[in-house]
Amino acid sequence: MAEFCVAELFSSINGEGTRAGQLAVFVRFAGCNLHCSYCDTAWANQRETEYQRMNEDEILREIQRTGITNVTLTGGEPLLRGGIEVLLETLLSDCNLWIEIETNGSIPLEKFQELARRKTALERLSFTMDYKLPKSGMESEMCLENMGVLQLKDTVKFVCSDWEDLKRAEQVIEEYQLTERCHVYFSPVFGKLDPAKMVLFMKERTLNGVNLQLQLHKFIWNPEQRGV
C-alpha cells in the first residue's frame, strides 16, 4: 500500500482541457520538480505546505463518495509521487472513472501509457501535458520523448506569457505535428497576455486545430481562491 501527500481533494468543474465545464474531483499532490515563473500553485510546492497523508484506497473512497466520474490528478507534479502506479491501478479498477493527469512535461509518460494498456483502460486515462515555453524558465527540462507517445485523447498545453512564447509554441507544434497527434491548447498567463492577442496570432498563422482556452476558475472565483 502506498501513501501520498495530498494538499487538496475537492470537487469543482474542470477549468481547462477537453472536459472544461464538466464536474471533476481534483486530487492535488504536494511538491514539484520545476519552478515556473508564472506558477499559480506554488503554495503546494513549499516545504511548509500542509497536506493529508492518504493511501490509494482512501483516495478512491473519497472520489467515489462524490459520485463524480471525472478525476483530475494534479499538483505539484503527480507523476513524481512514489507509488503513483499503484494509485492509478486502483483508480482504473473502477470502470466508471475517467482519469486525467495534469503533468508538467518533464516526466516520461511511456510507462503510464503501458499501464493503461495492460489494464485495458487506455481511453479512461489521459494526459494534459504542458510544454514549458521560454518565459517559464523551464523549457530545458522538457522530456521531448513524450512527443512520440502522445495519443489522440491526450493534450499538449502551451501557457504563453508573450508574443515570443507564442512563436516558440508554433515552432513546437509544427516540429512534432502535434495537431495531428493530440489536442493542442494555447492558454495565456493570467493577467499577463491579452487573449485577444492570442486570437490575432492564431489568425495570422492560420493555426487550424489549436484551441484557445482561458482558466475558468479564475473568472468564476477569486484567482487566488483554493479548493474551487
Side-chain angles (χ1 to χ4, degrees):
M1 185 164 287
E3 190 174 66
F4 303 91
C5 299
V6 179
E8 291 186 302
L9 196 160
F10 62 95
S11 58
S12 184
I13 58 164
N14 266 317
E16 304 175 273
T18 60
R19 293 175 181 255
Q22 295 186 22
L23 289 174
V25 180
F26 291 81
V27 183
R28 184 182 305 283
F29 300 98
C32 189
N33 59 322
L34 301 186
H35 303 281
C36 299
S37 62
Y38 51 73
C39 182
D40 55 6
T41 55
W43 64 268
N45 307 325
Q46 306 303 316
R47 289 181 178 272
E48 64 273 14
T49 296
E50 293 185 2
Y51 55 80
Q52 180 179 0
R53 293 188 181 276
M54 301 178 70
N55 63 42
E56 64 272 18
D57 291 334
E58 291 170 331
I59 292 173
L60 176 61
R61 283 197 297 270
E62 282 298 302
I63 292 168
Q64 290 172 328
R65 185 182 58 80
T66 70
I68 296 171
T69 55
N70 289 327
V71 178
T72 299
L73 304 183
T74 188
E77 173 49 58
L79 297 182
L80 282 177
R81 304 309 109 206
I84 190 66
E85 294 98 332
V86 175
L87 176 60
L88 290 174
E89 288 188 12
T90 300
L91 298 182
L92 291 171
S93 69
D94 184 333
C95 295
N96 294 314
L97 298 182
W98 294 76
I99 315 302
E100 176 188 7
I101 299 176
E102 293 186 340
T103 181
N104 64 25
S106 69
I107 310 297
L109 301 182
E110 173 58 32
K111 67 177 179 179
F112 302 105
Q113 297 277 31
E114 178 57 32
L115 169 65
R117 283 192 287 270
R118 291 203 314 269
K119 295 297 178 180
T120 63
L122 199 57
E123 293 307 313
R124 293 193 295 110
L125 177 64
S126 65
F127 297 92
T128 295
M129 186 188 83
D130 282 4
Y131 183 93
K132 302 299 185 184
L133 296 165
K135 286 300 189 298
S136 74
M138 292 288 123
E139 187 177 14
S140 63
E141 301 300 317
M142 293 298 91
C143 178
L144 298 179
E145 291 80 3
N146 285 338
M147 299 302 189
V149 302
L150 293 167
Q151 302 191 31
L152 289 174
K153 61 186 173 58
D154 298 322
T155 298
V156 174
K157 181 177 69 174
F158 296 92
V159 178
C160 304
S161 296
D162 58 15
W163 201 262
E164 293 304 311
D165 272 358
L166 285 167
K167 289 195 290 187
R168 177 58 183 149
E170 181 187 21
Q171 292 172 351
V172 174
I173 291 167
E174 290 179 354
E175 181 177 355
Y176 295 100
Q177 299 180 309
L178 289 182
T179 54
E180 299 174 22
R181 303 184 64 89
C182 62
H183 303 283
V184 179
Y185 284 81
F186 280 177
S187 183
V189 175
F190 188 79
K192 189 88 171 180
L193 179 60
D194 184 353
K197 290 185 177 180
M198 301 189 83
V199 176
L200 177 62
F201 183 90
M202 292 166 66
K203 289 169 61 178
E204 287 183 349
R205 304 307 207 276
T206 318
L207 294 183
N208 294 310
V210 176
N211 303 275
L212 172 67
Q213 69 174 14
L214 304 177
Q215 293 174 289
L216 292 180
H217 295 83
K218 294 187 177 182
F219 291 90
I220 299 173
W221 297 282
N222 183 308
E224 304 301 322
Q225 190 169 338
R226 302 180 190 176
V228 294

